Amino acid sequence: MASAGKGVIGGKTVPAGPRRRRKEERPGEIVEAAFEEFARSGFAATKLDDVAARAGITKGTIYLYFPSKEDLFLATMREMSRPSREHLAALTAAPQGPAMAILRSHFTFEYAQMVEDRRTREIIRMLLAEVSRFPDVVERWRAEVIGPEVEALRRVVRYGIERGEFRPSAAEEFPHLLFAPVIMACTWRLMFGDDHALDGAAYLEGHLDLMERGLARGEGDVRG
Amino acid sequence: MASAGKGVIGGKTVPAGPRRRRKEERPGEIVEAAFEEFARSGFAATKLDDVAARAGITKGTIYLYFPSKEDLFLATMREMSRPSREHLAALTAAPQGPAMAILRSHFTFEYAQMVEDRRTREIIRMLLAEVSRFPDVVERWRAEVIGPEVEALRRVVRYGIERGEFRPSAAEEFPHLLFAPVIMACTWRLMFGDDHALDGAAYLEGHLDLMERGLARGEGDVRG
Amino acid sequence: MASAGKGVIGGKTVPAGPRRRRKEERPGEIVEAAFEEFARSGFAATKLDDVAARAGITKGTIYLYFPSKEDLFLATMREMSRPSREHLAALTAAPQGPAMAILRSHFTFEYAQMVEDRRTREIIRMLLAEVSRFPDVVERWRAEVIGPEVEALRRVVRYGIERGEFRPSAAEEFPHLLFAPVIMACTWRLMFGDDHALDGAAYLEGHLDLMERGLARGEGDVRG
Amino acid sequence: MASAGKGVIGGKTVPAGPRRRRKEERPGEIVEAAFEEFARSGFAATKLDDVAARAGITKGTIYLYFPSKEDLFLATMREMSRPSREHLAALTAAPQGPAMAILRSHFTFEYAQMVEDRRTREIIRMLLAEVSRFPDVVERWRAEVIGPEVEALRRVVRYGIERGEFRPSAAEEFPHLLFAPVIMACTWRLMFGDDHALDGAAYLEGHLDLMERGLARGEGDVRG
DNA sequence: AATGAATGAGGCTTCATTCAT
DNA sequence: TATGAATGAAGCCTCATTCAT
């Protein structure tokens, strides 16, 4: 047992073989496991025993990397919402070409992200479920992810209006209206499970179509 | 707390001391308190002690009316989602007049219900948060509340298409697209609190405007 | 409901009818019910709710007659072991006729009492089960019931020896040996239930036969 | 208590502090402590706190080894009745020599076991006290311990009759009659405590003497 | 005398956290 | 670094007891 997974190379003991545990990967593995459990059961009902079991380690080991369950939760949220955060950069670039093309491309990405990627979906669930216990997490997510997203959308809408592609509409004040179907599909799937999920491609196309007609300058519209 | 001692209700002195009896009202009071606590903390993190304290009774009393915490939760969900259930009847009536008027009236109601009424909002939160523990509750809600709602919307859209008011669109297959802004406003408020709530009237009007333009038959649209 | 079970005779309201509750009988009814429950579950596991339900009253009523669960238990034991106590008088009379006849008559009675009467059997169970909680009850039972019984048997044995019917034997010092088969049948039935009960009459006859042979002066025995 | 801090076992220092680890010995220690408490107070009135305190651990530790109080009770009964179970093998050997010698040897053993060994005695008490809560335990004990015991006795009695040593008697049908004094001494001691215990050796001799006379073929008895 | 709603102490059980190895 | 036995605070639930009606 003392020698399991150990090898001797050059007179020095190093971790080796399938049982080798790469210490740099441990926190990630734990966070991974924690995510699954937190997503399934929520913060309070999640047992560190289950997290440990899923990560293939023992409960005590978690405490080598995270000082408390709460910290583990925070780390998990931080880690799992990183993709969303990173994507934002692309959005803030100066808009070019037809505004509708930008929206199309943006929402196509957002569907993949928020509806089809289970990770992001479950982040949403956790944010909703644990606001009162972790208001800071939600607030940071609002400030760093959703707020900028809304702003970016607003800029695109304005850009569309300016270039005469869109009519003036409430979408300028409430870009949320454009984003809403994404949230709808996301919560729908969160609630009713993958079995009742809305057909992705068709739903997305429907969304884009309605949005386009909703935003578009009509025949008789006066330029705003 | 405010009611310690004696109280006067309807000009009649009623027992209101630490040991007052109120068989009729107790279950309601408990469910009321339970709702607040469950909404705040979720099922697992809610302490029956806190529920009792909020209801002005002691823990043991809860068990006179509900056999377990789980049953209390179920009763709470049932009780609190009753308004939504009852409203459905109105929706299923045969459509009359402009389809857009029906949608306007319907969504006006839905905003009041799902966005402005805290009760309904919090029900949504709980459904999202506790699916894995109470799948039956969610399933029943889908079958009895949301499913019929979607169906009703679909009928209105078809009715609008038939009378030439609306163009054919994905809204027929996915009435969810029309409903989405309600869900968006609901989850937005659930997440970010009343302080960040979207301006109700303006948002609703924006929604209806975009929807109308999105659904409406355009100048060059071919009928059918 | 206010008039249930009430009658008016001679201008005076009196309890009447099948629902009449005769207050003199209440304590007895409660003790009766308590006995069943204590016998089934033991002191600690018995719920006053169940006692009340069995007695057809409510829990609070018990406290009108017995100040505590413990007192109820004591009263139950006292009440239920009364028959044994009363029987003792008969035993202490001066012996007459063949000693064996006395023993026969005595054990016949004891079988009926300790083996066939469920009440007495269950008293034994409770005494065994609750000694450490109610040592006084057991002590009193020993002093007032079992002790005298053993003494009485001893006197009969001595009487038998004196009249040359029995040989001297350990039964003089340990009349328990004669009594043992009764206890055996009693505990057997307590443990294994009525379904596995030993055949009463045959067993008793067997007991008496073996006892007679065991005690009897043999051909070669020297008079002791 | 005596072992707080460090202890020396077999010349080796072992951890014995408040948090010592003893995976191998723990279950045994717990069962040991549980036995004492269950025997003293019965299942319902026994507090796991007390069991833990007696075992020198805390309540939570019990649950590392036993999933519930009930399981602990079952394990305790199983463990504590093991000696009785193991002894049975010896009984089933083919009888040799005088039947009375076999009986003498057997009952000598049984006295040591059921009367003088506190463990076995208390097992009897628990069986009697908890039948209604743990019928299976009792049933298994009947099937595996007492049933075979009775059968073995019956074989010896028959063997004695066959070899002309015993007369035919009810002991053949009811070997319980022979066994009864053991049970009597056992319950006597259970009820009245060690202070009132019957004098072991004399009582046993008395039992054997009466039994021998009771079973023996007399001068005038007809064979068979 | 009787009710039965209410209480609150106490028990079983869970689980985050600690710590000796 | 990793383990996993041990801890102990806390939560759910029960039930003897109280008390206003």
Side-chain angles (χ1 to χ4, degrees):
Chain A
M1 188 181 280
S3 65
K6 291 282 180 179
V8 177
I9 297 179
K12 198 178 130 199
T13 300
V14 299
R19 302 195 114 217
R20 170 189 46 167
R21 287 300 187 185
R22 299 122 309 181
K23 83 174 179 199
E24 323 81 60
E25 301 178 12
R26 261 293 144 68
E29 292 169 1
I30 294 171
V31 158
E32 187 74 24
F35 170 76
E36 296 299 334
E37 295 298 321
F38 284 138
R40 179 200 313 288
S41 318
F43 178 79
T46 290
K47 290 176 259 186
L48 290 192
D49 263 321
D50 291 347
V51 172
R54 184 183 282 271
I57 58 178
T58 61
K59 201 165 35 166
T61 304
I62 295 177
Y63 283 85
L64 293 177
Y65 299 96
F66 304 94
S68 74
K69 187 185 181 184
E70 209 155 292
D71 284 283
L72 174 58
F73 183 80
L74 294 173
T76 302
M77 291 300 276
R78 209 177 304 120
E79 190 61 28
M80 292 296 151
S81 62
R82 182 177 300 171
S84 306
R85 233 174 287 271
E86 285 168 353
H87 163 63
L88 270 183
L91 257 193
T92 54
Q96 285 187 353
M100 192 55 211
I102 300 174
L103 291 182
R104 167 173 292 271
S105 138
H106 179 58
F107 282 120
T108 302
F109 176 87
E110 286 298 339
Y111 268 91
Q113 187 74 18
M114 296 197 64
V115 183
E116 260 133 43
D117 179 54
R118 192 171 141 270
R119 293 282 169 81
T120 311
R121 244 186 292 140
E122 295 293 347
I123 288 286
I124 305 288
R125 188 205 302 280
M126 288 191 253
L127 288 169
L128 277 163
E130 313 290 349
V131 209
S132 68
R133 195 191 282 258
F134 300 98
D136 294 355
V137 172
V138 177
E139 174 52 26
R140 202 159 39 132
W141 194 72
R142 195 189 62 77
E144 298 178 8
V145 179
I146 273 291
E149 164 99 22
V150 168
E151 277 318 304
L153 278 178
R154 200 193 312 276
R155 273 196 302 277
V156 176
V157 171
R158 281 188 182 139
Y159 166 74
I161 295 173
E162 278 160 19
R163 77 197 299 266
E165 189 179 345
F166 295 158
R167 65 183 176 103
S169 74
E172 199 181 342
E173 191 187 350
F174 300 117
H176 317 71
L177 291 166
L178 307 183
F179 198 67
V182 184
I183 292 297
M184 162 57 105
C186 174
T187 57
W188 188 271
R189 202 156 170 185
L190 278 177
M191 259 201 204
F192 305 131
D194 296 351
D195 293 349
H196 290 90
L198 304 166
D199 171 3
Y203 182 86
L204 171 56
E205 279 312 314
H207 171 204
L208 293 170
D209 171 54
L210 279 173
M211 183 175 72
E212 181 163 18
R213 290 287 283 248
L215 291 174
R217 170 179 303 283
E219 299 295 302
D221 285 340
V222 178
R223 181 125 186 189
Chain B
M1 36 198 81
S3 65
K6 292 282 180 178
V8 177
I9 294 179
K12 199 177 131 202
T13 299
V14 300
R19 219 174 172 131
R20 67 201 191 287
R21 300 162 156 228
R22 309 209 268 174
K23 174 133 199 236
E24 308 304 317
E25 309 163 21
R26 270 291 141 72
E29 292 170 0
I30 293 171
V31 158
E32 189 74 24
F35 171 76
E36 296 299 332
E37 295 297 323
F38 283 139
R40 178 198 313 289
S41 318
F43 178 79
T46 289
K47 290 175 266 185
L48 289 192
D49 264 322
D50 292 346
V51 172
R54 181 183 284 271
I57 57 179
T58 59
K59 207 170 21 174
T61 303
I62 295 177
Y63 285 87
L64 293 179
Y65 301 97
F66 304 95
S68 74
K69 187 185 181 185
E70 209 155 295
D71 283 280
L72 175 57
F73 183 80
L74 294 173
T76 301
M77 292 300 275
R78 212 175 305 121
E79 191 61 28
M80 292 295 152
S81 63
R82 181 179 300 172
S84 306
R85 235 174 285 270
E86 285 168 354
H87 162 63
L88 270 182
L91 257 192
T92 54
Q96 284 188 355
M100 191 56 211
I102 299 174
L103 292 182
R104 167 173 293 271
S105 140
H106 179 58
F107 283 119
T108 301
F109 176 88
E110 286 297 340
Y111 268 89
Q113 187 75 16
M114 296 196 64
V115 183
E116 261 134 42
D117 179 54
R118 191 170 143 272
R119 293 283 169 81
T120 310
R121 243 185 293 139
E122 296 293 347
I123 287 286
I124 306 289
R125 189 206 300 283
M126 288 191 253
L127 288 169
L128 277 164
E130 314 292 349
V131 208
S132 67
R133 196 193 282 257
F134 299 99
D136 293 355
V137 172
V138 177
E139 175 52 25
R140 207 163 38 133
W141 194 73
R142 193 187 66 75
E144 298 179 8
V145 179
I146 275 291
E149 163 98 23
V150 169
E151 277 317 304
L153 278 178
R154 201 194 311 274
R155 274 195 302 275
V156 176
V157 171
R158 282 189 181 139
Y159 165 75
I161 295 172
E162 278 162 16
R163 78 198 298 269
E165 189 179 345
F166 295 158
R167 67 186 175 100
S169 74
E172 200 182 341
E173 190 185 350
F174 300 116
H176 316 70
L177 291 166
L178 308 183
F179 198 67
V182 184
I183 293 297
M184 163 58 105
C186 174
T187 57
W188 188 270
R189 202 157 172 185
L190 277 177
M191 259 200 202
F192 305 130
D194 296 352
D195 294 348
H196 290 89
L198 304 165
D199 171 4
Y203 181 85
L204 170 57
E205 277 313 314
H207 170 205
L208 293 171
D209 171 55
L210 279 173
M211 183 175 72
E212 181 161 20
R213 290 288 281 247
L215 291 174
R217 168 181 305 281
E219 298 295 302
D221 285 339
V222 177
R223 180 120 188 195
Chain C
M1 189 180 282
S3 65
K6 291 280 181 181
V8 177
I9 297 180
K12 198 176 131 201
T13 299
V14 300
R19 300 195 115 216
R20 170 188 48 164
R21 286 300 187 185
R22 299 122 309 180
K23 83 176 180 198
E24 325 78 61
E25 302 178 10
R26 262 292 142 70
E29 291 168 2
I30 294 172
V31 157
E32 187 74 24
F35 170 76
E36 295 299 333
E37 295 298 322
F38 284 138
R40 178 200 313 287
S41 318
F43 178 79
T46 289
K47 292 177 258 185
L48 291 193
D49 264 321
D50 292 348
V51 172
R54 184 182 283 271
I57 57 176
T58 62
K59 201 164 37 165
T61 303
I62 295 177
Y63 284 84
L64 293 177
Y65 300 97
F66 304 93
S68 74
K69 186 184 181 184
E70 209 153 292
D71 283 283
L72 175 57
F73 183 81
L74 294 173
T76 302
M77 291 300 275
R78 210 174 307 119
E79 190 61 27
M80 292 296 150
S81 62
R82 182 177 301 171
S84 306
R85 233 174 287 271
E86 286 168 354
H87 163 64
L88 269 181
L91 257 193
T92 53
Q96 287 186 354
M100 193 54 213
I102 300 175
L103 291 182
R104 166 172 294 270
S105 140
H106 178 59
F107 283 120
T108 302
F109 176 88
E110 285 299 338
Y111 267 91
Q113 187 74 16
M114 297 198 63
V115 183
E116 261 134 42
D117 179 53
R118 193 172 140 269
R119 292 283 168 82
T120 310
R121 245 187 291 138
E122 295 294 347
I123 288 286
I124 306 288
R125 189 205 300 281
M126 289 190 253
L127 288 169
L128 276 164
E130 314 290 349
V131 208
S132 69
R133 194 192 283 258
F134 300 97
D136 293 356
V137 173
V138 177
E139 175 53 24
R140 205 159 36 131
W141 194 73
R142 194 188 64 77
E144 298 178 10
V145 179
I146 274 292
E149 163 98 23
V150 169
E151 277 317 304
L153 278 177
R154 199 191 314 273
R155 272 194 304 276
V156 176
V157 172
R158 282 191 181 135
Y159 166 77
I161 295 173
E162 279 162 16
R163 77 198 297 269
E165 187 179 347
F166 295 157
R167 65 185 176 103
S169 75
E172 198 181 341
E173 188 185 352
F174 301 116
H176 317 71
L177 290 166
L178 307 184
F179 197 66
V182 184
I183 293 296
M184 161 59 104
C186 174
T187 57
W188 188 272
R189 201 155 173 185
L190 278 178
M191 258 200 203
F192 305 131
D194 296 352
D195 294 349
H196 290 90
L198 304 165
D199 171 5
Y203 182 86
L204 170 57
E205 278 312 313
H207 171 202
L208 293 171
D209 172 55
L210 278 173
M211 184 175 71
E212 179 162 19
R213 291 289 280 245
L215 291 174
R217 170 179 304 280
E219 297 297 299
D221 285 337
V222 179
R223 181 121 187 193
Chain D
M1 39 196 78
S3 64
K6 292 282 179 179
V8 177
I9 295 179
K12 199 177 130 199
T13 299
V14 299
R19 218 173 173 129
R20 67 201 190 286
R21 299 163 157 229
R22 308 209 268 176
K23 177 135 198 237
E24 309 304 317
E25 309 165 20
R26 271 289 139 75
E29 291 171 1
I30 294 170
V31 158
E32 189 74 23
F35 171 75
E36 295 299 333
E37 295 297 322
F38 284 138
R40 178 197 314 287
S41 320
F43 178 79
T46 290
K47 291 177 264 187
L48 289 191
D49 263 321
D50 292 347
V51 173
R54 181 183 286 270
I57 57 180
T58 60
K59 209 169 22 174
T61 302
I62 295 176
Y63 285 85
L64 293 179
Y65 301 96
F66 304 94
S68 73
K69 187 185 181 184
E70 208 155 294
D71 282 281
L72 175 58
F73 184 80
L74 294 173
T76 301
M77 291 300 275
R78 210 175 306 119
E79 190 62 27
M80 292 296 152
S81 63
R82 182 178 300 172
S84 304
R85 232 174 288 271
E86 285 169 353
H87 164 64
L88 271 181
L91 259 192
T92 54
Q96 286 186 354
M100 192 54 213
I102 300 174
L103 292 182
R104 166 173 293 270
S105 139
H106 178 59
F107 283 119
T108 302
F109 176 88
E110 285 299 338
Y111 267 91
Q113 187 74 16
M114 296 198 63
V115 184
E116 261 134 42
D117 179 53
R118 191 171 141 272
R119 293 284 169 81
T120 310
R121 243 185 294 139
E122 295 294 347
I123 288 286
I124 305 289
R125 188 205 301 283
M126 290 191 251
L127 288 170
L128 276 165
E130 315 289 350
V131 209
S132 69
R133 194 191 284 257
F134 299 98
D136 292 357
V137 172
V138 177
E139 174 53 26
R140 206 164 37 138
W141 194 74
R142 193 188 63 78
E144 298 179 9
V145 179
I146 275 292
E149 164 98 24
V150 169
E151 276 317 303
L153 279 178
R154 199 192 313 274
R155 274 195 301 276
V156 176
V157 171
R158 280 187 181 140
Y159 166 76
I161 295 172
E162 280 161 18
R163 77 198 299 267
E165 189 179 346
F166 296 157
R167 67 185 175 103
S169 74
E172 199 180 344
E173 189 186 351
F174 299 117
H176 317 70
L177 290 166
L178 307 184
F179 198 66
V182 184
I183 293 296
M184 161 58 106
C186 174
T187 58
W188 188 270
R189 201 156 173 185
L190 278 178
M191 261 203 203
F192 306 129
D194 296 352
D195 294 350
H196 290 89
L198 303 166
D199 172 5
Y203 182 86
L204 170 58
E205 278 312 315
H207 169 204
L208 294 171
D209 172 54
L210 279 173
M211 182 175 73
E212 181 162 18
R213 290 288 281 248
L215 292 173
R217 169 179 305 281
E219 298 297 299
D221 286 338
V222 178
R223 181 121 189 195

